[in-house]
């Protein structure tokens, strides 16, 4: 299932850059020049189309050397904007705003740290966009109905139910009622995904906004300033504190190999924190009470048909309900529907649409185009940062390989992280990840939503 396509104003680019031959050690890339922030927009809370993003230009004027890059006000969400977006009540509109917010935070971070390495918010943009497909339930009801028609373990038992209903003087169960049951189950799954999407953005998005506000314009690493900034993290979020400390180091690191490793270390730590926070939402989405939902909807349909019959024609039907005859006939149908739904829902959720294609999370990560033999971008082909090596030893089940990365059970945190750390490492230098997800640039501030009147 694919989300609605909004024509991008940015020309399509390949998912990965084809690379030139490299030296035996990590290839040393020229250091990125400081960048000029793009023009901001302000005063409205909706997302407006903009001109194509301009390529950053070098700051060569003497006056520009006095301070580091700054991010235009209104071009990214502040911490207050993040809270206002998270407070939106419509889950679909909120997801669109969250996805756009991640993209704009990603680009704000890119103006400070450079865009040769994706930051966590860059990846979160595409994960949030994919979550929106599930939140909106796009195409799922039709796929579910089509799959039911082809499922012998549903249609066979359903024929027996129809035989029983005819004996009771009732019409057969239409497939539309089965699809309705599937749609109700999907809403339960969608709510869990939407709640997780909101929770992570509200927490992590504010920290990215705080980082930009704190360090934009700086020209060198200030240990005292960084320490003061890090003191603002709650004590129960040590991974987040460490991660943003690494981003601060990476901002002023001149060695491109060390910088790439610091960025990956920060991305992995934010990812581990985020996925730990998401665990109850993932479990709720994948383990939604599908059978109970299907059984309730189908039993209510049959009961309503029985009650619609005049007396005494309805007596046989009421007796069948009371003795459990209807429930027994529906059980195989419910089991078959649940199996079909879980298969489709898992397939529906367990993919990540990124620029240039979609990744199936249950399969091993494919090598990025142009990296079939090397697997990872030049500055991450060998890992020398001791802390990053230790973290990867804990999370990556197949070191320096993409084999075994597929997550067969997405509800398991260790399987998700095994996939995610290799996703981050293999795609960190992909410039297409910085493309706007909807071909637009957000505008801020976002006006707080008025309280609902009950």
């Amino acid at each position: 299932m694919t989300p609605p396509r909004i024509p991008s104003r940015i020309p399509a680019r390949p998912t990965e850059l084809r690379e030139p031959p490299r030296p035996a050690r990590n290839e040393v890339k020229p250091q990125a020049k400081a960048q000029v922030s793009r023009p901001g927009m302000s005063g409205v809370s909706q997302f407006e189309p903009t001109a194509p993003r301009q390529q950053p230009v070098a700051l060569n004027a003497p006056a520009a050397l006095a301070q580091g890059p700054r991010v235009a006000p209104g071009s990214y969400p502040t911490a207050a904007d993040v809270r206002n977006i998270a407070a939106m009540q419509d889950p679909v509109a909120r997801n669109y705003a969250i996805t756009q917010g991640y993209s704009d935070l990603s680009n704000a971070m890119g103006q400070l740290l450079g865009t040769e390495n994706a930051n966590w918010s860059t990846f979160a943009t595409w994960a949030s966009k994919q979550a929106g497909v599930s939140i909106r339930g796009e195409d799922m009801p039709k796929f579910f109905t089509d799959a039911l028609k082809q499922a012998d373990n549903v249609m066979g038992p359903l024929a027996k139910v129809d035989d029983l209903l005819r004996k009771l003087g009732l019409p057969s169960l239409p497939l539309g009622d089965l699809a309705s049951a599937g749609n109700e189950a999907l809403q339960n799954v969608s709510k869990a995904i939407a709640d997780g999407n909101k929770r992570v953005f509200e927490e992590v998005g504010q920290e990215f906004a705080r980082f930009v506000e704190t360090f934009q314009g700086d020209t060198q690493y200030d240990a005292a300033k960084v320490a003061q900034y890090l003191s603002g993290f709650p004590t129960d979020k040590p991974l987040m504190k460490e991660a943003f400390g690494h981003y601060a180091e990476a901002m002023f690191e001149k060695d491109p190999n060390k910088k790439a490793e610091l960025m990956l270390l920060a991305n992995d730590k934010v990812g581990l924190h985020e996925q730990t926070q998401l665990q109850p939402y993932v479990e709720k989405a994948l383990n939604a009470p599908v059978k109970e939902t299907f059984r309730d909807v189908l039993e209510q349909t049959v009961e309503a048909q029985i009650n619609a019959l005049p007396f005494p024609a309805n007596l046989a039907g009421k007796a069948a309900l009371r003795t459990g005859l209807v429930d027994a006939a529906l059980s195989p149908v419910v089991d078959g529907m649940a199996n079909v739904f879980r298969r489709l829902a898992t397939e529906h959720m367990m993919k990540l649409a990124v620029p240039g294609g979609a990744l199936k999370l249950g399969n091993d990560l494919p090598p990025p185009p142009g990296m079939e033999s090397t697997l990872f971008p030049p500055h991450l082909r060998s890992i020398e940062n001791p802390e990053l090596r230790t973290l990867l030893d804990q999370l990556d089940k197949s070191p320096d390989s993409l084999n075994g990365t597929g997550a067969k059970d997405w509800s398991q945190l260790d399987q998700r992280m095994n996939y995610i750390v290799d996703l981050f490492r293999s795609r960190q230098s992909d410039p297409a990840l910085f493309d706007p997800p909807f071909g637009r640039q957000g505008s801020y501030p976002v006006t707080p939503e008025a309280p609902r009147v009950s």
Side-chain angles (χ1 to χ4, degrees), residues 149-416:
K149 294 177 182 177
Q150 302 173 23
D152 293 338
N153 62 340
V154 174
M155 301 311 292
L158 183 61
K160 295 180 179 180
V161 171
D162 290 341
D163 288 341
L164 172 63
L165 294 179
R166 279 193 294 271
K167 292 176 181 177
L168 298 175
L170 301 172
S172 60
L173 278 176
L175 281 176
D177 287 344
L178 303 188
S180 175
N183 189 54
E184 186 168 328
L186 179 63
Q187 289 176 7
N188 295 332
V189 173
S190 298
K191 185 179 186 306
I193 295 174
D195 290 346
N197 186 230
K198 169 187 174 179
R199 164 72 185 274
V200 170
F201 179 72
E202 183 172 25
E203 179 184 48
V204 184
Q206 290 188 74
E207 297 302 343
F208 276 95
R210 193 165 71 92
F211 183 95
V212 174
E213 290 294 330
T214 301
F215 295 109
Q216 62 175 326
D218 287 7
T219 59
Q220 62 184 2
Y221 187 85
D222 184 335
K225 181 176 182 178
V226 171
Q228 182 179 9
Y229 159 76
L230 294 178
S231 68
F233 284 85
T235 57
D236 61 346
K237 297 177 182 178
L239 283 173
M240 290 281 284
K241 179 178 180 179
E242 293 170 12
F244 281 87
H246 299 317
Y247 283 136
E249 291 179 72
M251 183 173 173
F252 303 102
E253 177 57 61
K254 302 302 182 184
D255 184 306
N257 295 307
K258 293 179 179 179
K259 181 169 186 171
E261 292 185 7
L262 284 169
M263 290 293 294
L264 180 58
L265 181 58
N267 291 342
D268 285 348
K269 286 187 176 182
V270 177
L272 180 55
H273 172 85
E274 167 232 4
Q275 289 298 321
T276 302
Q277 298 300 309
L278 277 178
Q279 185 62 25
Y281 300 98
V282 173
E283 291 180 349
K284 189 174 182 180
L286 293 177
N287 300 313
V290 174
K291 286 187 179 182
E292 291 84 346
T293 300
F294 289 156
R295 187 179 300 278
D296 289 346
V297 170
L298 297 184
E299 285 186 347
Q300 289 172 13
T301 297
V302 174
E303 185 174 0
Q305 291 177 347
I306 291 172
N307 290 335
L309 291 174
F311 178 85
N314 60 7
L315 292 179
K318 289 185 176 181
L321 285 173
R322 187 171 57 253
T323 61
L325 184 61
V326 171
D327 183 68
L330 288 175
S331 288
V333 178
V334 168
D335 290 343
M337 290 175 63
N339 290 335
V340 171
F341 181 85
R342 289 192 189 282
R343 175 173 58 80
L344 289 180
T346 300
E347 182 179 340
H348 188 69
M349 288 185 292
M350 289 189 59
K351 64 181 179 182
L352 176 62
V354 293
L359 301 171
K360 292 188 176 181
L361 309 183
N363 297 343
D364 286 354
L365 269 167
M371 300 185 194
E372 287 78 6
S373 61
T374 58
L375 305 181
F376 305 109
H379 301 314
L380 294 174
R381 284 177 191 155
S382 64
I383 301 298
E384 297 185 357
N385 183 300
E387 188 174 358
L388 177 57
R389 290 181 65 90
T390 299
L391 183 62
L392 291 178
D393 286 343
Q394 296 171 356
L395 300 176
D396 191 349
K397 297 179 181 179
S398 54
D400 299 321
S401 171
L402 299 181
N403 293 329
T405 49
K408 303 306 179 186
D409 185 351
W410 196 247
S411 69
Q412 299 299 309
L413 176 62
D414 63 333
Q415 292 191 34
R416 294 203 306 277

Side-chain angles (χ1 to χ4, degrees), residues 7-267:
S8 173
R9 301 172 190 272
I10 309 297
R13 290 184 286 185
T15 307
E16 298 285 349
L17 292 180
R18 300 277 173 177
E19 302 175 79
R22 65 180 183 89
R25 170 59 172 94
N26 286 346
E27 177 184 337
V28 178
K29 293 181 179 179
Q31 185 70 9
K33 297 179 180 179
Q35 301 172 3
V36 172
S37 58
R38 64 178 185 258
M41 297 175 63
S42 59
V44 292
S45 62
Q46 64 194 46
F47 300 119
E48 298 291 349
T50 65
R53 181 173 291 113
Q54 299 297 315
Q55 293 296 319
V57 296
L59 294 176
N60 295 319
L65 298 177
Q67 68 173 25
R70 301 195 66 86
V71 184
S75 66
Y76 71 98
T78 64
D81 291 324
V82 169
R83 291 191 294 271
N84 289 337
I85 290 171
M88 295 172 66
Q89 297 299 307
D90 182 340
V92 172
R94 184 177 66 222
N95 169 258
Y96 274 121
I98 286 174
T99 303
Q100 186 67 55
Y102 274 138
S103 176
D104 294 325
L105 285 170
S106 164
N107 282 286
M109 291 286 289
Q111 291 184 59
L112 302 187
L113 284 82
T115 55
E116 63 272 15
N117 293 288
N119 56 75
W120 179 88
S121 193
T122 317
F123 289 101
T125 300
W126 303 100
S128 180
K129 184 177 181 181
Q130 184 64 46
V133 178
S134 296
I135 291 170
R136 296 186 297 275
E138 293 174 352
D139 298 331
M140 182 67 171
K142 181 181 185 302
F143 280 156
F144 183 58
T145 303
D146 292 344
L148 289 178
K149 294 177 182 177
Q150 302 173 23
D152 293 338
N153 62 340
V154 174
M155 301 311 292
L158 183 61
K160 295 180 179 180
V161 171
D162 290 341
D163 288 341
L164 172 63
L165 294 179
R166 279 193 294 271
K167 292 176 181 177
L168 298 175
L170 301 172
S172 60
L173 278 176
L175 281 176
D177 287 344
L178 303 188
S180 175
N183 189 54
E184 186 168 328
L186 179 63
Q187 289 176 7
N188 295 332
V189 173
S190 298
K191 185 179 186 306
I193 295 174
D195 290 346
N197 186 230
K198 169 187 174 179
R199 164 72 185 274
V200 170
F201 179 72
E202 183 172 25
E203 179 184 48
V204 184
Q206 290 188 74
E207 297 302 343
F208 276 95
R210 193 165 71 92
F211 183 95
V212 174
E213 290 294 330
T214 301
F215 295 109
Q216 62 175 326
D218 287 7
T219 59
Q220 62 184 2
Y221 187 85
D222 184 335
K225 181 176 182 178
V226 171
Q228 182 179 9
Y229 159 76
L230 294 178
S231 68
F233 284 85
T235 57
D236 61 346
K237 297 177 182 178
L239 283 173
M240 290 281 284
K241 179 178 180 179
E242 293 170 12
F244 281 87
H246 299 317
Y247 283 136
E249 291 179 72
M251 183 173 173
F252 303 102
E253 177 57 61
K254 302 302 182 184
D255 184 306
N257 295 307
K258 293 179 179 179
K259 181 169 186 171
E261 292 185 7
L262 284 169
M263 290 293 294
L264 180 58
L265 181 58
N267 291 342

